[in-house]
Amino acid sequence: MDSLTDATERQGTGDELPKGMERRLVLRLLSYWRSLSEDGVLPSFAAIDPSAMKDMWESCFVLDIVGHEADPVFRTVGAAFAEHSPIDLVDRRVSEARANTLVYASVSYIHEVICKGVPISRGGEFYKADGVKVLYRSIVLPMSDDGETISGLLCAANCREAIEG
Amino acid sequence: MSTAFELQIYQNGQWQFDSYFDDKDTVVSEAERMNASGRYSGVRVLEETYKEGTNACEYHVIFSRLGKDSGASNWRDRYQSAGSTAEPMDDGDVARRLKPKHRPQPRKKSNPIGLIAIASVIVLLGIAAIIGLRSIAGTS
């Protein structure tokens, strides 16, 4: 897989971040998730404050699992995904995400997260409908209302188009 | 062949799975950040290599930091594998790779019977010497 972490962050958010701050979106979100997780207890969505993570929230989406274990439902989708998705995904099921999009790539391993109950980060590449190669990195974080049972997933991803010479 | 990375933390006397990554730089950065935070007793990263041909997984520790307050007093505690795993884990492979080159050898314990026998011989020789000297003194 091509390495995309540094280049991706520089293109997306690097200019706005304070000096010395972790550039990689997945690690910043993981750090925020850990700050909400006390003694290994899964954090709840109630603890999330979008205003405290302005630099990340637009690159996040939330999946509701309760009652939709086999096919979770999008509850919130960050603005950054709009340009990568031809349809509004809010209140739609994961299976409705269009192939060869950033969201589609990011939800490809959500059942692994539900099964293992721990954060998973993956990256890779896909080709958009116009044939352009896109490099992406994503993370899926388990969330819980009672601290144990996974009730939803907090996901984030970013990408950049690969320049093929 | 596919490679993944497991980040583990040391809690309650054992290594526990914390998160999974597919990028080495990212997972090592996260492990270093977690270790520097001082919030965790220990942090380590396992590189998991799955070989389709043999259908086997190999695990190698590529990062390991264990604090003094971890309670792990010996190498077995320090390098014990995680308690549960969704995939098969070749513990032997990890153990072989982590086996210390210079394991301390147990001290040989002294044999108390031997010590008593030696002491008895010395005492008997002393008594014999005294008797001998007295008899010599008596004859002269």
Side-chain angles (χ1 to χ4, degrees):
Chain A
M1 189 193 80
D2 296 333
S3 176
L4 73 158
T5 51
D6 288 350
T8 302
E9 298 305 324
R10 272 196 295 274
Q11 185 188 49
T13 57
D15 293 340
E16 304 89 42
L17 294 174
K19 197 174 182 180
M21 187 176 180
E22 169 62 50
R23 288 199 309 268
R24 285 163 284 198
L25 169 69
V26 296
L27 292 187
R28 291 204 312 277
L29 187 63
L30 181 56
S31 179
Y32 179 71
W33 180 86
R34 289 192 199 286
S35 72
L36 304 177
S37 174
E38 293 289 335
D39 298 327
V41 176
L42 295 177
S44 76
F45 281 117
I48 289 180
D49 178 10
S51 65
M53 47 187 287
K54 287 177 182 172
D55 58 309
M56 299 180 280
W57 188 243
E58 289 195 348
S59 298
C60 293
F61 59 90
V62 168
L63 296 175
D64 182 5
I65 289 178
V66 178
H68 317 285
E69 287 80 4
D71 196 4
V73 174
F74 291 95
R75 292 302 183 204
T76 302
V77 180
F81 292 97
E83 60 184 285
H84 300 289
S85 177
I87 57 172
D88 181 8
L89 290 166
V90 175
D91 292 334
R92 290 181 183 264
R93 294 182 178 278
V94 161
S95 59
E96 295 180 73
R98 298 274 177 87
N100 301 320
T101 61
L102 182 58
V103 167
Y104 183 84
S106 304
V107 299
S108 62
Y109 55 95
I110 58 171
H111 291 290
E112 211 174 319
V113 176
I114 295 170
C115 177
K116 293 180 175 174
V118 296
I120 297 180
S121 171
R122 294 227 172 113
E125 62 187 45
F126 62 87
Y127 287 88
K128 294 196 297 183
D130 58 7
V132 174
K133 183 180 175 181
V134 176
L135 305 178
Y136 75 96
R137 177 147 295 283
S138 62
I139 188 165
V140 178
L141 305 160
M143 306 295 289
S144 173
D145 291 332
D146 62 8
E148 291 184 8
T149 309
I150 298 175
S151 56
L153 300 172
L154 175 61
C155 317
N158 58 0
C159 66
R160 68 174 171 88
E161 293 183 355
I163 302 166
E164 295 180 292
Chain B
M1 191 173 79
S2 62
T3 303
F5 300 92
E6 295 176 9
L7 180 56
Q8 299 184 345
I9 56 175
Y10 195 80
Q11 263 184 340
N12 302 322
Q14 65 177 359
W15 290 104
Q16 297 181 347
F17 291 118
D18 175 84
S19 47
Y20 291 84
F21 297 80
D22 66 351
D23 181 68
K24 186 175 182 177
D25 290 341
T26 305
V27 70
V28 170
S29 292
E30 177 64 1
E32 287 174 342
R33 193 198 63 77
M34 290 173 71
N35 180 59
S37 74
R39 187 178 169 186
Y40 306 92
S41 299
V43 181
R44 77 176 182 181
V45 176
L46 298 185
E47 180 178 10
E48 170 194 318
T49 306
Y50 175 70
K51 295 176 179 173
E52 286 89 355
T54 58
N55 199 30
C57 270
E58 285 186 4
Y59 288 78
H60 306 297
V61 178
I62 61 169
F63 179 98
S64 184
R65 300 286 186 276
L66 201 56
K68 290 177 181 175
D69 61 339
S70 64
S73 57
N74 59 47
W75 74 273
R76 283 186 187 280
D77 288 337
R78 285 172 177 271
Y79 296 111
Q80 74 175 51
S81 54
S84 62
T85 173
E87 288 102 14
M89 187 168 183
D90 183 359
D91 287 340
D93 183 62
V94 174
R96 275 196 300 277
R97 289 174 181 279
L98 298 173
K99 189 176 178 180
K101 291 178 180 176
H102 303 292
R103 192 185 298 182
Q105 296 296 319
R107 283 186 178 180
K108 288 183 178 178
K109 288 184 178 177
S110 302
N111 185 351
I113 296 174
L115 288 173
I116 292 169
I118 292 170
S120 301
V121 169
I122 292 171
V123 170
L124 287 173
L125 286 173
I127 293 170
I130 292 169
I131 294 171
L133 288 171
R134 280 186 178 177
S135 63
I136 292 169
T139 52
S140 61

